[in-house]
């Protein structure tokens, strides 16, 4: 287990970004690099800071209030009668805990919700409310599940980004395989092969 893994294991996996990083893992990486202090995670609170201090042999610090205050964990619930199906909450949920489709009612998968609260300001009709998180949901298995859901979502978004980039590159490439985008003349072997095949088809038959 790397140092980043061990730090990440002590973070609550809420993925709320209050620490100033895009989730718990990036904050763990910043701590391990020495780029971030250990007192920027409000969901982890004082107990989390003490665990990080013990692991890293650093002094315990008070939670930095610039990153928020320690408070009881919550869960999101959508007031379904008011939901207009805009999908904005799904787009920001870091652990894929919301299901729904465009113009259809959305709902929160309660067991997967970390209470990060990122969906609340995203909702244009204020139909997401926060309820107390049951104590039995604040445990290691739920944190592990949240970590996995976060990683799966990040991987999916990265794949979608790469796919969009590839599609854009293809659109910018002429049929003879030469790139027309300014400053780039990279070969595209697939398109070159397609162009050769097309040229062959167009050759006059003997
Ligand atoms: S729980 Fe929130 S504040 Fe704490 S490390 Fe994770 S993303 Fe950062
Ligand atoms: S449903 Fe809302 S509060 Fe729950 S994890 Fe998703 S974005 Fe966070
Ligand atoms: S952001 Fe609000 S209105 Fe839009 S789908 Fe989510 S809950 Fe419904």
């Amino acid at each position: 287990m790397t140092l980043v893994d061990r730090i990440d294991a002590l973070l609550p996996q809420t993925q709320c970004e209050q620490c100033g990083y895009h989730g718990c893992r990036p904050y763990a990486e910043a701590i391990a690099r020495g780029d971030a202090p250990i007192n920027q995670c409000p969901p982890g609170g004082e107990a989390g800071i003490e665990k990080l201090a013990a692991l890293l042999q650093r002094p315990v610090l008070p939670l930095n209030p610039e990153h928020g205050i320690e408070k009881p964990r919550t869960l999101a619930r959508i007031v379904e009668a008011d939901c207009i199906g805009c999908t904005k909450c799904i787009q920001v949920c870091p652990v894929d805990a919301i299901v729904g489709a465009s113009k259809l009612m959305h709902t929160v998968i309660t067991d997967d919700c970390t209470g990060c609260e990122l969906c609340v300001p995203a909702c244009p009709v204020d139909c997401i409310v926060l309820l107390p998180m049951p104590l039995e949901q604040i445990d290691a298995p739920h944190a592990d599940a949240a970590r996995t859901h976060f990683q799966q979502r990040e991987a999916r978004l990265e794949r979608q980004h790469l796919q969009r980039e590839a599609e854009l590159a293809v659109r910018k490439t002429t049929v003879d395989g030469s790139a027309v985008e300014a400053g780039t003349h990279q070969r595209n072997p697939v398109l070159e092969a397609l162009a050769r095949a097309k040229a062959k088809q167009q050759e006059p038959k003997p």
Side-chain angles (χ1 to χ4, degrees):
M1 206 187 227
T2 66
L3 179 60
V4 174
D5 291 335
R6 292 163 73 198
I7 296 171
D8 190 40
L10 297 179
L11 299 174
Q13 304 305 315
T14 305
Q15 316 299 350
C16 63
E17 303 186 357
Q18 288 182 88
C19 51
Y21 292 86
H22 178 59
C24 303
R25 182 84 187 183
Y27 180 43
E29 290 166 351
I31 293 175
R33 285 195 307 270
D35 289 347
I38 59 174
N39 62 341
Q40 295 185 182
C41 173
E46 299 298 339
I49 293 170
E50 283 172 16
K51 287 182 199 163
L52 290 169
L55 171 68
L56 299 165
Q57 301 288 292
R58 293 189 200 170
V60 173
L61 300 168
L63 178 65
N64 183 346
E66 286 180 14
H67 292 271
I69 55 164
E70 190 172 355
K71 60 182 185 179
R73 297 274 301 270
T74 55
L75 281 177
R77 187 172 71 79
I78 293 173
V79 180
E80 293 169 355
D82 296 338
C83 173
I84 58 172
C86 70
T87 77
K88 289 191 185 306
C89 53
I90 288 185
Q91 292 168 39
V92 298
C93 179
V95 290
D96 288 335
I98 302 176
V99 289
S102 182
K103 300 193 175 61
L104 292 175
M105 180 191 80
H106 286 48
T107 193
V108 174
I109 307 167
T110 302
D111 205 46
D112 290 348
C113 176
T114 65
C116 73
E117 303 186 13
L118 292 175
C119 55
V120 176
C123 179
V125 294
D126 288 336
C127 72
I128 302 177
V129 295
L130 296 170
L131 306 172
M133 180 179 278
L135 281 181
E136 58 269 24
Q137 194 162 332
I138 308 172
D139 60 8
H142 280 87
D144 289 344
R147 182 185 296 108
T148 301
H149 294 153
F150 176 73
Q151 289 168 345
Q152 288 171 340
R153 181 174 186 271
E154 290 296 300
R156 189 183 71 244
L157 293 179
E158 177 64 13
R159 278 197 307 277
Q160 290 171 347
H161 171 71
L162 291 175
Q163 194 174 344
R164 274 197 303 276
E165 294 273 300
E167 286 167 0
L168 199 61
V170 167
R171 275 205 292 275
K172 287 179 175 170
T173 306
T174 58
V175 73
D176 68 358
S178 60
V180 295
E181 191 179 6
T184 67
H185 294 283
Q186 292 166 351
R187 294 180 58 208
N188 183 326
V190 176
L191 287 176
E192 285 179 7
L194 284 172
R196 279 198 302 276
K198 193 172 178 185
K200 207 168 181 179
Q201 279 174 1
Q202 289 169 350
E203 280 174 8
K205 302 273 184 241

